[in-house]
Amino acid sequence: MKNLIATLATGVSLSAPAFSQELPKASVQLAAQAAHVKIYTVVAPPEQFSNTTHVIELPHELVVIDGQFFAPYAWQVKALTDSLHKPVTRFYISHDHPDHYIGFGDAFPDVPVYALAETKAGIEQAGQQTLEQRQKQFGDVIAKKLNLPTHIQQPGTEVIDGVKFIFEVSHDNEAALSLVVKVPEVKAYIAQDIVYNNTHLFISGNSDGWRKALHKIEKEHDYTLILPGHGKPADRSVLKEDLQYLDFVDQALAASKTKEEYKAKLLAAYPGYGGAHLIDIYLAYYLKKDWGK
Ligand SMILES: [Zn+2]
């Protein structure tokens, strides 16, 4: 079963502000459904980096994973959580990259925000400056304020509202450190940026650690629903696709003399992938390479 079940109609939150530019809507789909758990996944459009938010509906409460980059998508998440008529008791930030935490501060100003200790510290240190820089760059589609982490998530197993969650730390993948959340009842592995689906992977350096994180998921056969940080919910085939993409990146980097040549190779090999602008961003600011001068 590939990208699962129904696509839901998306409402607009009554309290959402008007924005000066109208961005295309995110998609919302029901990714998983069992006796005590449903997972809804909101995916921003490919031109807006396909960032995901997962809303985990438990019997009496909601747990949310990741808060978007552009504020209108966080408001779309808010419309979804409002429609479910249960409180958001935990709002998780998987890692300290801005596309996962700067979007939701206005739409969810009062929810308890959970993160790993290192992620909490990283956002406290750089979050406000990052938000202001993106406000200058993109205008009012960036939230006015952050909602900073208030709670530290320790790795381990926890039962929330009668449902088992497994929290793990992953090192040296797409990010230096990230939170993995597993929900065995629905066989869901919430990998966030360890996995990209149909979206250009964000390359900022050596990807050996990233490969290791993907191989680790490959060994965990019980999890058949893989939830990416970018792109729609996937089955296990996405793991191999991402590993092959990383191999292609290594070859293309070695064989390219300019950034333009490298980007052209990626676009030609992966014509259907979203998030092409991610390549420009990491080539401009993150990926250090001597381009054969
Ligand atoms: Zn990301």
Side-chain angles (χ1 to χ4, degrees):
M1 187 163 59
K2 190 94 181 171
N3 292 336
L4 308 136
I5 321 179
T7 299
L8 302 173
T10 59
V12 173
S13 173
L14 292 175
S15 45
F19 295 97
S20 56
Q21 30 168 333
E22 179 97 26
L23 298 181
K25 285 266 179 285
S27 68
V28 184
Q29 70 184 92
L30 183 58
Q33 187 168 19
H36 309 103
V37 193
K38 282 182 192 162
I39 302 180
Y40 299 88
T41 295
V42 177
V43 187
E47 310 77 43
Q48 278 74 32
F49 318 134
S50 302
N51 269 97
T52 62
T53 296
H54 310 291
V55 175
I56 306 171
E57 184 182 10
L58 304 173
H60 310 96
E61 58 191 271
L62 306 174
V63 171
V64 179
I65 314 284
D66 276 351
Q68 294 291 327
F69 182 81
F70 293 107
Y73 301 125
W75 284 104
Q76 228 185 304
V77 174
K78 172 76 169 146
L80 170 64
T81 58
D82 284 353
S83 75
L84 298 172
H85 303 292
K86 294 175 187 177
V88 175
T89 55
R90 302 183 184 214
F91 201 116
Y92 280 92
I93 299 172
S94 65
H95 62 293
D96 68 1
H97 291 175
D99 52 324
H100 299 262
Y101 74 83
I102 69 168
F104 73 99
D106 297 343
F108 294 90
D110 302 318
V111 294
V113 180
Y114 285 67
L116 294 167
E118 296 87 341
T119 303
K120 181 173 184 287
I123 295 172
E124 283 165 355
Q125 198 254 319
Q128 185 57 31
Q129 195 189 351
T130 303
L131 179 75
E132 288 168 17
Q133 194 278 328
R134 300 307 193 276
Q135 287 168 338
K136 281 196 195 108
Q137 194 179 351
F138 294 99
D140 71 355
V141 291
I142 299 297
K144 292 187 176 55
K145 60 178 187 293
L146 297 175
N147 187 355
L148 292 170
T150 45
H151 294 66
I152 289 173
Q153 179 63 50
Q154 304 290 352
T157 298
E158 254 186 79
V159 175
I160 305 171
D161 199 9
V163 174
K164 182 178 169 184
F165 283 70
I166 301 167
F167 297 98
E168 290 177 355
V169 185
S170 176
H171 292 275
D172 191 24
N173 52 68
E174 186 259 16
L177 175 137
S178 70
L179 176 68
V180 166
V181 182
K182 304 190 226 176
V183 189
E185 181 171 332
V186 281
K187 303 182 191 311
Y189 195 112
I190 305 176
Q192 295 314 89
D193 280 10
I194 298 170
V195 175
Y196 280 55
N197 186 15
N198 231 29
T199 304
H200 290 285
L201 279 65
F202 194 89
I203 309 294
S204 56
N206 180 294
S207 53
D208 291 347
W210 196 341
R211 283 190 179 79
K212 231 165 128 182
L214 286 162
H215 284 307
K216 182 172 182 297
I217 309 174
E218 276 193 324
K219 291 194 196 90
E220 298 189 61
H221 298 282
D222 290 346
Y223 294 96
T224 51
L225 172 64
I226 311 294
L227 296 179
H230 296 260
K232 292 187 174 168
D235 61 25
R236 297 178 60 79
S237 64
V238 75
L239 304 171
K240 196 169 192 180
E241 285 167 21
D242 281 354
L243 285 162
Q244 286 170 346
Y245 187 99
L246 291 174
D247 289 344
F248 186 85
V249 160
D250 282 355
Q251 292 161 20
L253 276 174
S256 301
K257 291 209 161 36
T258 64
K259 293 178 177 181
E260 293 70 29
E261 186 187 345
Y262 166 76
K263 185 183 173 187
K265 283 197 174 92
L266 281 185
L267 295 182
Y270 292 94
Y273 271 34
H277 189 49
L278 292 169
I279 304 172
D280 301 320
I281 297 173
Y282 74 68
L283 285 176
Y285 302 110
Y286 295 92
L287 184 65
K288 305 287 176 237
K289 173 183 154 40
D290 178 2
W291 292 93
K293 275 169 269 163

